Amino acid sequence: MVPYLALPEGGEWIVILVIVVLLFGAKKLPELTKNAARAMNEFKKVQNGEDDDPPAVEPPSAEAGNRGAEGVREERGGS
């Protein structure tokens, strides 16, 4: 059985590495790998349910909920 998608082997990795260095430059590679590792760690945290960041959505205040449509019209200049 022939695999549909084979991983690169041996010399193919060297060619890929040379192309990456030519595209991004040697100075950018450490930054790219650091960002990729950070993204992988964040993905693992979320996957395991260890996301410690609270949601950014703030609950509406009770005062804003009681105004209704009249309060919104007054803020816009009244019509």
Side-chain angles (χ1 to χ4, degrees):
M1 182 172 183
V2 177
Y4 291 110
L5 180 64
L7 293 176
E9 298 176 1
E12 295 170 349
W13 281 112
I14 295 172
V15 173
I16 292 170
L17 181 63
V18 168
I19 292 172
V20 168
V21 169
L22 289 174
L23 287 176
F24 296 107
K27 292 182 180 181
K28 281 281 192 184
L29 287 181
E31 182 181 335
L32 290 173
T33 55
K34 183 172 65 172
N35 289 337
R38 197 177 296 156
M40 285 179 14
N41 288 335
E42 184 69 26
F43 180 74
K44 287 179 185 178
K45 282 182 186 178
V46 171
Q47 215 174 21
N48 294 334
E50 298 173 7
D51 189 21
D52 57 345
D53 295 336
V57 178
E58 295 180 15
S61 65
E63 185 179 304
N66 293 334
R67 286 191 306 199
E70 292 84 26
V72 174
R73 272 191 236 134
E74 290 173 10
E75 286 181 4
R76 292 185 184 164
S79 299

